[in-house]
Structures are given as structure tokens and as C-alpha cells.
Amino acid sequence: MSNTKSKAQRLKSIKRKRIVLTIIESLFAALFIAVAVVAFVPSVRSQAAQKLAESSFGKKIIKMFAKEKFDNTIYDSEFDEAIIETNDMEYNYSGEYTEFIMFGIDSRDSTFDAGTNSDSMVIVSVHNTTGEVNMVSLYRDSYLRIYKNDGSYYLDKLNSAYNVGGAAGAINTINKNLDLQLKDYVTVNFSGVAEIIDSLGGIEVNLTDEEVAQINKHLRSTLSSTGEYSPKVTASGKNVHLNGLQATTYCRIRKTTFYDPENGSRVNDDFGRAARQRLVVMKLVDKAKKAGMTELQEMMNTVLKSSTDGQEQIIKTSFSMDEMVDMLPIIFKFSLGKSSGFPKKLTTKKIGTMDVVLPKGLSRNVKILHKFLYGEEEYVPTDAVEEISNDITYATGIGNDGGDDNVDDTVWGITDEEKESQEILNDDYSDMNFDYDDKGESEYY
């Protein structure tokens, strides 16, 4: 009887184990399916990543795996926010917007501090509630008041501010001239942009025959500076695929017209160059949002390359790891909004040996900027901006021309007849020597 009972107990025990094993197998199967779905279905993956980024546990996990590498490679631990200056403003947008300035440099030796001009400057403004991102390119040849770190100032091209005072000096110059409250920056070395683009599988842009010719003409300069190889671009038209080196060359060219894909307006010269750079940034952001796990990992590995490992540094920023992680929920829900350039109302002129971009009234342009970024219909510039505006007008003879601020009368987006009437035909300034980092000696720039 005892033997029979023992056998029954053994059978019951075995049955229990089988049930447990079945449950475990089912759990593993469900987990595998969940991982597969998250890994290969973009919408589900994005939702899962967003939930992770929004949770305190998820943020701790991200910091645990990324903080040391982040701090050692791209974080600017020497950046002192205490030296950042702003004008005495009635407005404060910091609670509603997360903003920073993105500098583009072309440094062959990973020089991110003072001593190199900024090839491009883009204000990035993210609405903290809606996640909408607006961007404004600051034209590098804009003639503004440059502030040195000792408090002194002088009139010169905006791109020289980074050369004189590094990121902090350039931020102070931008804040004081434009009534902004920027406190953070991201500097991108163009020599590494190609790698980031390639890690995301390239980008698609619309190309004219002239743009294709310009890319192929100057591609050899990009190849010689990077030591890499790329085939030429073989097609024009809509949604032409560009690899990293081709795209980097594309966003540098300026000797052919850029056609805005949103409204078809034409942009020429250095303004076209700035517009191409904004477009490439927007394309990269869009690709990153849709990227797979492998692509994102490769992109992060590229970004987090350390110059101490013998690799050229690509990005440097004042944002700490904690700040970056806190911004993740905003990043996941953001949508690309509008883009523009500054100054909006402008003309070009030769001052001494320099060809510069002059605002038709700095205070007027600041009003337009604040309307674009913040929706302020009746913004009143500070006395500091009014002083700078008067200083520029006195020195150059160019001020507010009384034009309609609701009409885009810059050097693009107008008809040939309007250009002729305003005496700003392409032929009037296409041969100007804009003072690029190579002092205008290379046709490439």
C-alpha cells in the first residue's frame, strides 16, 4: 500500500514539474515574442523605449550603462554656465522651451574650443509640452557686435565669436544681440558627420542637376580630407539617396541654388548653404526616430568615440548626462516644425575687405525672430538690442528700410523682377569672397 502511494506521489510530483516547466517555457516563449516585437516593429519599439525613458528605473539603467562613456567623450565638464550672460529681459521662456545652440565646425584636430571659426550656427528650440522643434540658422557672415570674454566688444562677423571666446563667448554674443536666453550648446565636428549619417543608412534629398555637379566636383576635397572613398552621385530628382560623404559635401556647397522642398522658394549663396545644413539636420533627426536597434547602437558608438582612443571627436556638449536623460521623454514625442534664417530682413555689403550680411534693422529682425520662435506678436526688444542696432546702422548706413515685416523680402523667396528692383541680383554677389576658414582661397568653400 505504501509502495502504491509512493508511486502515486511520484507521478503527482512529476506532473507538477511538467506543469511548472510548461509555464516556464510559455513565459520564455512570451518573453521571446515580446523582445522580437520590440526589436523589429518600429512603433512598438518606440513605445517601449519611451516608457523606459519616462520611468525612474529606466533612467537609472540608461545612466548606469552610458554615463562613464558620455562623461569621458562628449561632455564639456569645464563649461561654466555662470559666465553666460543675457540682456535684462521681461520675458522668460526657460519653463516652456528647451533651447540650445548647435555649432558646426570643421576641425581636423578635434579643436572644439576657441581658435576655430564656427561654420554654422543653428538655434534649436523644443517646446516642452508639444515636443515641436523649430530651428533658426544664424548666417555666419552676419555683421553684429562680438563680445569678448573680458566684456569688451567690437563689430565683426558672427562666426568669429566662437574663434574669440569658444562656445561660451559665442553664446554670450548671440544672447546679447538677439535677446535670447541660451545656456547650452552642442558642437558638431563636420569631419565626423559623414560617419553619423552612414550609421543611420544615409539620407534622401531632392537634387537639381546643378547640385549633383557641385557635389561631384567637390567630393574629392571631402575624400582627401577624410581619407575615405565614396562613389559620385549619379542621379538628380526627388529623394536621391546620399551616403555620409556625399551628404557632407552637399551641405557645404553654396554656388548653386537650393530649392526649399516645403515651399519651393529659392535660396542662393551662403544662405543656400545654411538651408542645406538645416535640411540635413532635419533628415538625420527623422532617420534617428525611425532607426532600428542595430542602427541606433552603431550611431551611438560613432558619437561616443573618444579622442583619447585615437579617434577624432565628433560631438561636444554642455548638457550633462542627467540633463540628457531628463530630456528623453521630450525627444521621443518631438516633431520637426519650422525652420528659418537670421537675419530675415537683410542685405549684403562690402566692409573693408569683408563681404558681410547686414540686418535691415537689428531690433526689427529680433522682433521677427521672437515671433517665429515663441509666437510673440508684439515683442519689444531690450534697450541693449536697440543700442547694438543703432551702432550697426551708424557704422554701415544700413538700418530699418520700412519694409513690410510680413513679406519675405530676403535674397530668396522672391521673383526675379523683385530681385532686380531691389538690386540684389545673383550676379551682384555671386562672386563675393565670403570669409570662410580657408580665407576664401579654396573654391570648395
Side-chain angles (χ1 to χ4, degrees), residues 151-204:
S152 62
Y153 52 80
Y154 57 97
L155 293 176
D156 203 345
K157 291 185 178 184
L158 180 57
N159 70 327
S160 67
Y162 196 98
N163 190 318
V164 172
I171 291 174
N172 284 338
T173 290
I174 294 167
N175 282 344
K176 287 179 172 293
N177 280 270
L178 277 55
D179 266 354
L180 294 177
Q181 298 163 320
L182 301 172
K183 293 184 178 180
D184 288 291
Y185 80 93
V186 176
T187 296
V188 180
N189 189 349
F190 272 126
S191 63
V193 170
E195 295 181 65
I196 298 176
I197 294 174
D198 282 334
S199 69
L200 291 173
I203 60 173
E204 286 72 39

Short mmCIF file of all heavy atoms in Angstrom, two decimals, residues 151-204:
data_model
loop_
_atom_site.label_atom_id
_atom_site.label_comp_id
_atom_site.label_asym_id
_atom_site.label_seq_id
_atom_site.Cartn_x
_atom_site.Cartn_y
_atom_site.Cartn_z
N GLY A 151 34.56 91.23 -21.56
CA GLY A 151 33.49 92.21 -21.53
C GLY A 151 33.56 93.25 -22.63
O GLY A 151 32.60 93.97 -22.87
N SER A 152 34.72 93.35 -23.29
CA SER A 152 34.84 94.31 -24.39
C SER A 152 34.13 93.78 -25.64
O SER A 152 33.80 92.59 -25.71
CB SER A 152 36.32 94.57 -24.70
OG SER A 152 36.96 93.37 -25.11
N TYR A 153 33.90 94.66 -26.60
CA TYR A 153 33.17 94.23 -27.80
C TYR A 153 33.57 95.07 -29.00
O TYR A 153 34.17 96.13 -28.88
CB TYR A 153 31.66 94.33 -27.58
CG TYR A 153 31.17 95.66 -27.07
CD1 TYR A 153 30.99 96.74 -27.95
CD2 TYR A 153 30.89 95.86 -25.72
CE1 TYR A 153 30.54 97.97 -27.48
CE2 TYR A 153 30.43 97.08 -25.25
CZ TYR A 153 30.26 98.13 -26.14
OH TYR A 153 29.83 99.35 -25.69
N TYR A 154 33.21 94.57 -30.18
CA TYR A 154 33.51 95.23 -31.44
C TYR A 154 32.59 94.63 -32.51
O TYR A 154 32.00 93.56 -32.31
CB TYR A 154 34.98 95.02 -31.83
CG TYR A 154 35.37 93.56 -31.94
CD1 TYR A 154 35.38 92.92 -33.18
CD2 TYR A 154 35.71 92.82 -30.82
CE1 TYR A 154 35.72 91.58 -33.29
CE2 TYR A 154 36.06 91.49 -30.92
CZ TYR A 154 36.06 90.86 -32.15
OH TYR A 154 36.38 89.53 -32.25
N LEU A 155 32.46 95.30 -33.65
CA LEU A 155 31.62 94.81 -34.74
C LEU A 155 32.43 93.92 -35.67
O LEU A 155 33.53 94.28 -36.08
CB LEU A 155 31.03 95.98 -35.53
CG LEU A 155 30.01 96.85 -34.80
CD1 LEU A 155 29.60 98.03 -35.69
CD2 LEU A 155 28.79 96.04 -34.39
N ASP A 156 31.87 92.76 -35.98
CA ASP A 156 32.57 91.82 -36.87
C ASP A 156 31.59 90.73 -37.29
O ASP A 156 30.41 90.76 -36.90
CB ASP A 156 33.78 91.19 -36.15
CG ASP A 156 34.83 90.67 -37.13
OD1 ASP A 156 34.51 90.55 -38.33
OD2 ASP A 156 35.95 90.39 -36.70
N LYS A 157 32.07 89.78 -38.06
CA LYS A 157 31.23 88.66 -38.48
C LYS A 157 30.91 87.75 -37.29
O LYS A 157 31.77 87.51 -36.44
CB LYS A 157 31.92 87.85 -39.56
CG LYS A 157 32.05 88.57 -40.90
CD LYS A 157 32.63 87.63 -41.94
CE LYS A 157 32.72 88.31 -43.29
NZ LYS A 157 33.19 87.37 -44.35
N LEU A 158 29.70 87.22 -37.28
CA LEU A 158 29.24 86.40 -36.16
C LEU A 158 30.08 85.14 -35.98
O LEU A 158 30.31 84.71 -34.84
CB LEU A 158 27.77 86.03 -36.37
CG LEU A 158 27.12 85.17 -35.28
CD1 LEU A 158 27.23 85.84 -33.92
CD2 LEU A 158 25.66 84.90 -35.64
N ASN A 159 30.56 84.56 -37.07
CA ASN A 159 31.30 83.29 -36.94
C ASN A 159 32.61 83.46 -36.18
O ASN A 159 33.18 82.48 -35.68
CB ASN A 159 31.56 82.66 -38.31
CG ASN A 159 32.57 83.43 -39.14
OD1 ASN A 159 32.66 84.65 -39.04
ND2 ASN A 159 33.32 82.72 -39.96
N SER A 160 33.10 84.70 -36.05
CA SER A 160 34.36 84.92 -35.32
C SER A 160 34.17 84.83 -33.81
O SER A 160 35.14 84.71 -33.07
CB SER A 160 34.94 86.29 -35.68
OG SER A 160 34.11 87.35 -35.20
N ALA A 161 32.92 84.88 -33.33
CA ALA A 161 32.67 84.85 -31.88
C ALA A 161 33.18 83.55 -31.27
O ALA A 161 33.72 83.54 -30.16
CB ALA A 161 31.18 85.03 -31.60
N TYR A 162 33.00 82.43 -31.96
CA TYR A 162 33.47 81.14 -31.46
C TYR A 162 34.99 81.11 -31.44
O TYR A 162 35.61 80.56 -30.52
CB TYR A 162 32.92 80.02 -32.35
CG TYR A 162 33.01 78.63 -31.74
CD1 TYR A 162 31.90 78.06 -31.12
CD2 TYR A 162 34.18 77.89 -31.79
CE1 TYR A 162 31.97 76.78 -30.57
CE2 TYR A 162 34.26 76.62 -31.24
CZ TYR A 162 33.15 76.07 -30.63
OH TYR A 162 33.23 74.81 -30.08
N ASN A 163 35.60 81.72 -32.44
CA ASN A 163 37.06 81.77 -32.52
C ASN A 163 37.63 82.54 -31.34
O ASN A 163 38.63 82.14 -30.74
CB ASN A 163 37.45 82.43 -33.84
CG ASN A 163 38.93 82.33 -34.14
OD1 ASN A 163 39.76 82.51 -33.26
ND2 ASN A 163 39.26 82.05 -35.39
N VAL A 164 36.96 83.64 -30.99
CA VAL A 164 37.46 84.52 -29.93
C VAL A 164 37.20 83.96 -28.53
O VAL A 164 38.08 83.98 -27.67
CB VAL A 164 36.82 85.92 -30.05
CG1 VAL A 164 37.18 86.79 -28.86
CG2 VAL A 164 37.26 86.59 -31.35
N GLY A 165 36.00 83.45 -28.31
CA GLY A 165 35.63 83.07 -26.95
C GLY A 165 35.14 81.66 -26.76
O GLY A 165 34.60 81.34 -25.69
N GLY A 166 35.29 80.80 -27.78
CA GLY A 166 34.78 79.44 -27.65
C GLY A 166 33.26 79.44 -27.58
O GLY A 166 32.60 80.42 -27.91
N ALA A 167 32.69 78.30 -27.12
CA ALA A 167 31.24 78.18 -27.08
C ALA A 167 30.60 79.21 -26.16
O ALA A 167 29.59 79.83 -26.52
CB ALA A 167 30.87 76.76 -26.63
N ALA A 168 31.18 79.43 -24.98
CA ALA A 168 30.60 80.37 -24.01
C ALA A 168 30.59 81.79 -24.58
O ALA A 168 29.60 82.52 -24.47
CB ALA A 168 31.36 80.33 -22.70
N GLY A 169 31.69 82.21 -25.20
CA GLY A 169 31.77 83.54 -25.78
C GLY A 169 30.77 83.72 -26.91
O GLY A 169 30.15 84.78 -27.05
N ALA A 170 30.61 82.67 -27.74
CA ALA A 170 29.66 82.75 -28.85
C ALA A 170 28.23 82.82 -28.33
O ALA A 170 27.40 83.55 -28.88
CB ALA A 170 29.83 81.55 -29.76
N ILE A 171 27.92 82.07 -27.27
CA ILE A 171 26.58 82.11 -26.68
C ILE A 171 26.28 83.51 -26.15
O ILE A 171 25.19 84.05 -26.35
CB ILE A 171 26.43 81.06 -25.57
CG1 ILE A 171 26.44 79.65 -26.17
CG2 ILE A 171 25.14 81.28 -24.78
CD1 ILE A 171 26.44 78.54 -25.14
N ASN A 172 27.24 84.10 -25.45
CA ASN A 172 27.04 85.46 -24.93
C ASN A 172 26.78 86.46 -26.06
O ASN A 172 25.91 87.33 -25.95
CB ASN A 172 28.25 85.90 -24.11
CG ASN A 172 28.30 85.25 -22.74
OD1 ASN A 172 27.28 84.81 -22.23
ND2 ASN A 172 29.49 85.18 -22.15
N THR A 173 27.53 86.33 -27.14
CA THR A 173 27.34 87.22 -28.29
C THR A 173 25.94 87.07 -28.86
O THR A 173 25.26 88.06 -29.16
CB THR A 173 28.40 86.92 -29.37
OG1 THR A 173 29.69 87.35 -28.91
CG2 THR A 173 28.09 87.63 -30.67
N ILE A 174 25.49 85.83 -29.03
CA ILE A 174 24.16 85.56 -29.60
C ILE A 174 23.06 86.07 -28.66
O ILE A 174 22.09 86.70 -29.09
CB ILE A 174 24.00 84.06 -29.90
CG1 ILE A 174 24.97 83.66 -31.01
CG2 ILE A 174 22.56 83.73 -30.27
CD1 ILE A 174 25.13 82.16 -31.18
N ASN A 175 23.20 85.79 -27.37
CA ASN A 175 22.19 86.23 -26.40
C ASN A 175 22.04 87.75 -26.40
O ASN A 175 20.93 88.28 -26.37
CB ASN A 175 22.57 85.77 -25.00
CG ASN A 175 22.25 84.30 -24.76
OD1 ASN A 175 21.50 83.68 -25.51
ND2 ASN A 175 22.82 83.74 -23.71
N LYS A 176 23.16 88.46 -26.43
CA LYS A 176 23.12 89.91 -26.32
C LYS A 176 22.61 90.58 -27.59
O LYS A 176 21.92 91.60 -27.55
CB LYS A 176 24.50 90.44 -25.95
CG LYS A 176 24.89 90.17 -24.49
CD LYS A 176 26.27 90.69 -24.18
CE LYS A 176 26.58 90.60 -22.70
NZ LYS A 176 25.73 91.49 -21.88
N ASN A 177 22.94 90.02 -28.74
CA ASN A 177 22.49 90.61 -30.00
C ASN A 177 21.04 90.28 -30.32
O ASN A 177 20.35 91.06 -30.97
CB ASN A 177 23.37 90.13 -31.15
CG ASN A 177 24.69 90.87 -31.26
OD1 ASN A 177 24.79 91.88 -31.95
ND2 ASN A 177 25.71 90.37 -30.56
N LEU A 178 20.56 89.12 -29.83
CA LEU A 178 19.26 88.62 -30.26
C LEU A 178 18.23 88.53 -29.13
O LEU A 178 17.14 88.00 -29.33
CB LEU A 178 19.40 87.24 -30.91
CG LEU A 178 19.80 87.18 -32.39
CD1 LEU A 178 21.08 87.93 -32.67
CD2 LEU A 178 19.92 85.74 -32.85
N ASP A 179 18.57 89.02 -27.94
CA ASP A 179 17.65 88.93 -26.80
C ASP A 179 17.24 87.47 -26.53
O ASP A 179 16.07 87.18 -26.30
CB ASP A 179 16.39 89.76 -27.04
CG ASP A 179 16.51 91.17 -26.45
OD1 ASP A 179 17.52 91.44 -25.78
OD2 ASP A 179 15.60 91.99 -26.67
N LEU A 180 18.20 86.58 -26.52
CA LEU A 180 17.91 85.18 -26.24
C LEU A 180 18.45 84.80 -24.87
O LEU A 180 19.20 85.55 -24.24
CB LEU A 180 18.52 84.28 -27.33
CG LEU A 180 17.89 84.45 -28.72
CD1 LEU A 180 18.62 83.58 -29.73
CD2 LEU A 180 16.40 84.12 -28.71
N GLN A 181 18.06 83.60 -24.42
CA GLN A 181 18.46 83.12 -23.10
C GLN A 181 19.10 81.74 -23.20
O GLN A 181 18.87 80.87 -22.37
CB GLN A 181 17.22 83.08 -22.19
CG GLN A 181 16.60 84.45 -21.98
CD GLN A 181 15.18 84.38 -21.44
OE1 GLN A 181 14.39 83.53 -21.84
NE2 GLN A 181 14.85 85.25 -20.52
N LEU A 182 19.94 81.57 -24.20
CA LEU A 182 20.62 80.30 -24.41
C LEU A 182 21.65 80.06 -23.31
O LEU A 182 22.37 80.97 -22.93
CB LEU A 182 21.31 80.29 -25.78
CG LEU A 182 20.42 80.51 -27.01
CD1 LEU A 182 21.27 80.68 -28.25
CD2 LEU A 182 19.43 79.36 -27.17
N LYS A 183 21.70 78.82 -22.84
CA LYS A 183 22.67 78.47 -21.80
C LYS A 183 23.45 77.20 -22.13
O LYS A 183 24.40 76.86 -21.43
CB LYS A 183 21.97 78.30 -20.45
CG LYS A 183 21.38 79.59 -19.90
CD LYS A 183 20.77 79.39 -18.53
CE LYS A 183 20.23 80.70 -17.97
NZ LYS A 183 19.61 80.51 -16.62
N ASP A 184 23.02 76.50 -23.16
CA ASP A 184 23.67 75.23 -23.50
C ASP A 184 24.02 75.19 -24.98
O ASP A 184 23.45 75.93 -25.80
CB ASP A 184 22.76 74.06 -23.15
CG ASP A 184 22.65 73.83 -21.65
OD1 ASP A 184 23.65 73.40 -21.05
OD2 ASP A 184 21.58 74.11 -21.09
N TYR A 185 24.94 74.30 -25.30
CA TYR A 185 25.39 74.19 -26.68
C TYR A 185 25.70 72.74 -27.03
O TYR A 185 25.93 71.89 -26.16
CB TYR A 185 26.64 75.04 -26.92
CG TYR A 185 27.91 74.38 -26.43
CD1 TYR A 185 28.70 73.60 -27.29
CD2 TYR A 185 28.34 74.50 -25.11
CE1 TYR A 185 29.85 72.98 -26.85
CE2 TYR A 185 29.49 73.89 -24.66
CZ TYR A 185 30.24 73.12 -25.54
OH TYR A 185 31.38 72.49 -25.09
N VAL A 186 25.69 72.47 -28.32
CA VAL A 186 26.19 71.22 -28.88
C VAL A 186 27.08 71.61 -30.05
O VAL A 186 26.64 72.33 -30.95
CB VAL A 186 25.06 70.29 -29.37
CG1 VAL A 186 25.65 69.05 -30.04
CG2 VAL A 186 24.15 69.89 -28.22
N THR A 187 28.33 71.20 -30.04
CA THR A 187 29.24 71.47 -31.14
C THR A 187 29.49 70.17 -31.91
O THR A 187 29.82 69.15 -31.32
CB THR A 187 30.59 72.04 -30.66
OG1 THR A 187 30.36 73.32 -30.04
CG2 THR A 187 31.54 72.23 -31.83
N VAL A 188 29.30 70.24 -33.22
CA VAL A 188 29.47 69.07 -34.08
C VAL A 188 30.64 69.33 -35.02
O VAL A 188 30.68 70.36 -35.70
CB VAL A 188 28.20 68.78 -34.90
CG1 VAL A 188 28.40 67.56 -35.79
CG2 VAL A 188 27.01 68.57 -33.98
N ASN A 189 31.57 68.41 -35.06
CA ASN A 189 32.70 68.49 -35.97
C ASN A 189 32.27 67.89 -37.31
O ASN A 189 31.96 66.70 -37.40
CB ASN A 189 33.90 67.73 -35.40
CG ASN A 189 35.16 67.97 -36.21
OD1 ASN A 189 35.13 68.53 -37.30
ND2 ASN A 189 36.29 67.53 -35.67
N PHE A 190 32.25 68.70 -38.38
CA PHE A 190 31.76 68.24 -39.67
C PHE A 190 32.53 67.04 -40.20
O PHE A 190 32.00 66.24 -40.96
CB PHE A 190 31.82 69.37 -40.70
CG PHE A 190 30.59 70.24 -40.72
CD1 PHE A 190 30.69 71.61 -40.58
CD2 PHE A 190 29.34 69.68 -40.88
CE1 PHE A 190 29.58 72.41 -40.59
CE2 PHE A 190 28.21 70.47 -40.89
CZ PHE A 190 28.32 71.85 -40.75
N SER A 191 33.78 66.92 -39.80
CA SER A 191 34.57 65.80 -40.30
C SER A 191 34.03 64.47 -39.82
O SER A 191 34.35 63.42 -40.37
CB SER A 191 36.04 65.95 -39.86
OG SER A 191 36.15 65.90 -38.45
N GLY A 192 33.19 64.48 -38.78
CA GLY A 192 32.61 63.24 -38.29
C GLY A 192 31.15 63.05 -38.66
O GLY A 192 30.56 62.00 -38.39
N VAL A 193 30.54 64.08 -39.28
CA VAL A 193 29.12 64.00 -39.62
C VAL A 193 28.86 62.85 -40.59
O VAL A 193 27.84 62.17 -40.51
CB VAL A 193 28.63 65.33 -40.21
CG1 VAL A 193 27.24 65.19 -40.80
CG2 VAL A 193 28.62 66.40 -39.13
N ALA A 194 29.80 62.62 -41.51
CA ALA A 194 29.61 61.56 -42.51
C ALA A 194 29.42 60.20 -41.84
O ALA A 194 28.60 59.39 -42.29
CB ALA A 194 30.81 61.52 -43.45
N GLU A 195 30.17 59.95 -40.77
CA GLU A 195 30.05 58.67 -40.07
C GLU A 195 28.68 58.51 -39.42
O GLU A 195 28.10 57.43 -39.42
CB GLU A 195 31.15 58.56 -39.00
CG GLU A 195 32.56 58.52 -39.55
CD GLU A 195 33.58 58.39 -38.44
OE1 GLU A 195 33.58 57.35 -37.75
OE2 GLU A 195 34.36 59.33 -38.24
N ILE A 196 28.16 59.61 -38.85
CA ILE A 196 26.84 59.56 -38.22
C ILE A 196 25.77 59.27 -39.27
O ILE A 196 24.88 58.44 -39.07
CB ILE A 196 26.53 60.87 -37.50
CG1 ILE A 196 27.54 61.11 -36.37
CG2 ILE A 196 25.11 60.86 -36.94
CD1 ILE A 196 27.36 62.43 -35.67
N ILE A 197 25.87 59.94 -40.42
CA ILE A 197 24.90 59.73 -41.50
C ILE A 197 24.95 58.28 -41.98
O ILE A 197 23.92 57.64 -42.18
CB ILE A 197 25.17 60.71 -42.65
CG1 ILE A 197 24.91 62.15 -42.18
CG2 ILE A 197 24.30 60.38 -43.87
CD1 ILE A 197 25.29 63.20 -43.20
N ASP A 198 26.16 57.76 -42.16
CA ASP A 198 26.30 56.37 -42.62
C ASP A 198 25.75 55.38 -41.61
O ASP A 198 25.17 54.35 -41.98
CB ASP A 198 27.77 56.05 -42.90
CG ASP A 198 28.25 56.62 -44.24
OD1 ASP A 198 27.39 56.80 -45.13
OD2 ASP A 198 29.46 56.87 -44.38
N SER A 199 25.92 55.67 -40.32
CA SER A 199 25.43 54.75 -39.29
C SER A 199 23.91 54.63 -39.32
O SER A 199 23.34 53.63 -38.86
CB SER A 199 25.90 55.22 -37.91
OG SER A 199 25.26 56.42 -37.52
N LEU A 200 23.24 55.65 -39.87
CA LEU A 200 21.78 55.62 -39.98
C LEU A 200 21.32 55.23 -41.38
O LEU A 200 20.13 55.33 -41.70
CB LEU A 200 21.20 56.99 -39.61
CG LEU A 200 21.33 57.38 -38.13
CD1 LEU A 200 20.89 58.82 -37.92
CD2 LEU A 200 20.50 56.44 -37.25
N GLY A 201 22.26 54.81 -42.23
CA GLY A 201 21.88 54.33 -43.55
C GLY A 201 21.77 55.38 -44.62
O GLY A 201 21.20 55.14 -45.69
N GLY A 202 22.33 56.60 -44.37
CA GLY A 202 22.27 57.66 -45.36
C GLY A 202 20.97 58.45 -45.27
O GLY A 202 20.10 58.16 -44.45
N ILE A 203 20.84 59.45 -46.14
CA ILE A 203 19.64 60.28 -46.17
C ILE A 203 19.18 60.45 -47.62
O ILE A 203 19.93 60.18 -48.56
CB ILE A 203 19.86 61.67 -45.55
CG1 ILE A 203 20.97 62.42 -46.30
CG2 ILE A 203 20.20 61.55 -44.08
CD1 ILE A 203 21.13 63.86 -45.85
N GLU A 204 17.93 60.90 -47.78
CA GLU A 204 17.38 61.16 -49.11
C GLU A 204 17.05 62.65 -49.23
O GLU A 204 16.38 63.21 -48.34
CB GLU A 204 16.11 60.34 -49.36
CG GLU A 204 16.36 58.86 -49.62
CD GLU A 204 16.79 58.09 -48.38
OE1 GLU A 204 16.24 58.37 -47.30
OE2 GLU A 204 17.69 57.25 -48.50
#
